[in-house]
């Protein structure tokens, strides 16, 4: 059975998906936000200050950047836990089925995507720092930075795994069984993934042209998942992408405001870094993965039909 067909191992009635979506939203956006809200209250002098910060950013209350990042990850941890509970107890299928079509999770794939994309990201950013050094300020502070490394490497993969398994796993599979094909789920989940990031501050600064990057990234992760019949590569790619974004360079106008090694002091603008990944690096990564893992029949894997198996494997 291919990756999308894994959904047939459990219940696929439309109301089950509504129940799980409600459960995920409850865990992610309501229960998960409580620790952050409590932290914000403890940092507020009065109720009005807390409410003003809630309208803008709780970071304006002076919450430690690493603590704030950790509390943000806690929200996604509750979302991921809610998704797992929904898959197991509402759809009544194994959690592994939303991750991979293989007999067991292939962690070698995860680490390959993690390491290769990590090295590439660091190389591209390092080259830009070397070429445009006037735009960067050295920001190394030992204790905050090493704390950031711990939070980033240990906890940020929770946030990225939630997004991957929700979009490239759960939604991709559900939509695939409904539309009976692969391309409609790919388009819907990729666009929805991009729109989810529409509230990021960089979109406000750079304009909606920045959605090219977010939607393009959604397509990259989605195509990788369909061609590889599992999310392991996408999980590794997404994890290291956000980790590098957190610890290497920060600005005062992006979603990650951390104690990173460098501060980008340049004025917000749409440059090559917006289009280079989507139109150059992502295709090259797909070719690399194709060579390594022997991907065949791309047309069928991206546009083929999805049929319910006559015999559903356990």
């Amino acid at each position: 059975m291919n990756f999308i067909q894994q959904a047939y191992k459990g219940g696929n009635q439309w109301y089950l998906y509504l129940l799980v979506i409600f459960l995920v939203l409850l865990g992610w956006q309501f229960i998960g936000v409580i620790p952050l809200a409590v932290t914000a209250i403890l940092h507020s002098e009065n109720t009005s200050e807390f409410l003003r910060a809630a309208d803008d950013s709780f970071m304006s209350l002076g919450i430690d950047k690493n603590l704030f990042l950790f509390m943000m990850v806690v929200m996604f941890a509750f979302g991921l836990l809610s998704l797992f509970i929904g898959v197991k107890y509402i759809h009544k299928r194994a959690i592994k089925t939303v991750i991979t079509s293989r007999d067991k999770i292939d962690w070698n794939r995860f680490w390959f995507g993690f390491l290769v994309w990590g090295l590439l990201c660091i190389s591209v950013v390092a080259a830009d720092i070397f070429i445009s050094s006037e735009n960067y300020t050295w920001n190394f502070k030992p204790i905050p930075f090493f704390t950031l490394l711990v939070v980033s490497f240990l906890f940020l993969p929770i946030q990225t795994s939630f997004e991957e398994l929700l979009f490239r796993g759960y939604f991709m599979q559900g939509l695939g069984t409904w539309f009976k094909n692969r391309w409609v789920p790919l388009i819907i989940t990729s666009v929805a993934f991009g729109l989810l990031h529409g509230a990021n501050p960089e979109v406000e600064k750079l304009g909606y042209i920045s959605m090219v990057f977010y939607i393009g990234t959604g397509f990259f992760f989605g195509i990788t998942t369909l061609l590889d019949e599992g999310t392991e590569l996408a999980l590794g790619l997404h994890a290291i992408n956000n980790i590098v974004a957190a610890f290497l360079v920060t600005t005062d106008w992006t979603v990650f405001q951390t104690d990173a090694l460098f501060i980008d002091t340049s004025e917000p603008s749409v440059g090559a870094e917006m289009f280079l990944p989507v139109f150059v690096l992502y295709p090259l990564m797909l070719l690399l993965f194709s060579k390594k893992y022997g991907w065949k029949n791309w047309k069928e894997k991206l546009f083929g039909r999805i049929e319910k198996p006559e015999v559903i494997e356990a």
Side-chain angles (χ1 to χ4, degrees):
M1 293 173 65
N2 64 42
F3 181 65
I4 289 180
Q5 288 176 322
Q6 299 298 306
Y8 288 116
K9 293 183 177 180
N12 268 314
Q13 297 87 339
W14 63 269
Y15 57 84
L16 297 182
Y17 286 90
L18 287 182
L19 284 173
V20 174
I21 291 171
F22 173 77
L23 179 63
V24 169
L25 289 174
L26 179 66
W28 175 28
Q29 291 294 314
F30 291 92
I31 299 174
V33 81
I34 291 175
L36 177 59
V38 170
T39 302
I41 290 172
L42 293 176
H43 283 75
S44 305
E45 293 184 0
N46 51 57
T47 303
S48 60
E49 184 185 18
F50 170 77
L51 294 176
R52 285 196 302 271
D55 281 336
D56 181 20
S57 170
F58 285 136
M59 285 192 69
S60 63
L61 296 172
I63 300 174
D64 177 80
K65 291 179 180 178
N66 288 321
L67 177 60
F68 183 81
L69 180 62
F70 175 75
M71 288 301 175
M72 290 293 293
V73 171
V74 168
M75 293 174 56
F76 291 95
F78 277 99
L80 183 61
L81 178 61
S82 299
L83 177 62
F84 285 164
I85 290 173
V87 169
K88 185 172 181 61
Y89 295 104
I90 295 178
H91 287 283
K92 299 187 184 303
R93 59 183 171 106
I95 291 172
K96 179 185 73 69
T97 61
V98 84
I99 301 172
T100 187
S101 62
R102 286 170 268 276
D103 292 335
K104 59 182 181 179
I105 299 171
D106 188 346
W107 290 107
N108 287 332
R109 276 174 154 83
F110 172 90
W111 288 115
F112 183 75
F114 186 97
L115 293 173
V116 172
W117 186 242
L119 290 173
L120 187 57
C121 286
I122 292 172
S123 299
V124 170
V125 174
D128 190 58
I129 293 173
F130 179 77
I131 295 170
S132 306
S133 58
E134 69 278 4
N135 292 331
Y136 295 91
T137 300
W138 180 248
N139 187 51
F140 178 63
K141 302 170 187 174
I143 294 178
F145 175 72
F146 288 117
T147 303
L148 172 62
L149 282 185
V150 172
V151 173
S152 298
F153 278 91
L154 292 185
F155 301 109
L156 268 183
I158 295 174
Q159 174 247 324
T160 56
S161 295
F162 168 67
E163 292 183 5
E164 284 308 303
L165 297 182
L166 182 65
F167 284 93
R168 258 64 65 178
Y170 186 70
F171 287 154
M172 181 89 78
Q173 291 176 339
L175 292 168
T177 60
W178 292 353
F179 290 99
K180 305 299 182 184
N181 62 45
R182 294 166 175 258
W183 63 271
V184 172
L186 174 61
I187 292 174
I188 292 177
T189 56
S190 300
V191 173
F193 176 78
L195 294 177
L196 177 70
H197 294 79
N200 283 9
E202 49 264 43
V203 176
E204 180 181 350
K205 287 287 185 179
L206 301 176
Y208 286 103
I209 187 65
S210 59
M211 297 304 290
V212 170
F213 171 76
Y214 290 113
I215 294 176
T217 299
F219 271 102
F220 173 47
F221 293 155
I223 291 170
T224 298
T225 296
L226 288 177
L227 292 176
D228 200 47
E229 300 291 1
T231 65
E232 293 99 329
L233 282 171
L235 286 168
L237 293 167
H238 199 164
I240 192 59
N241 186 82
N242 285 26
I243 289 170
V244 171
F247 82 78
L248 195 52
V249 176
T250 188
T251 73
D252 60 1
W253 51 269
T254 54
V255 67
F256 280 140
Q257 295 182 31
T258 64
D259 291 301
L261 278 179
F262 293 91
I263 299 175
D264 183 351
T265 58
S266 62
E267 285 297 314
S269 63
V270 177
E273 69 279 358
M274 186 68 65
F275 305 103
L276 177 67
V278 176
F279 298 108
V280 179
L281 301 183
Y282 293 166
L284 289 175
M285 290 294 292
L286 289 173
L287 290 175
L288 173 64
F289 293 151
S290 178
K291 292 293 184 181
K292 180 171 177 60
Y293 296 111
W295 292 345
K296 305 293 183 182
N297 200 1
W298 286 39
K299 181 179 179 180
E300 173 63 25
K301 287 194 172 186
L302 296 178
F303 301 100
R305 294 278 300 169
I306 296 294
E307 304 290 346
K308 183 175 181 178
E310 293 183 6
V311 179
I312 297 177
E313 305 164 2

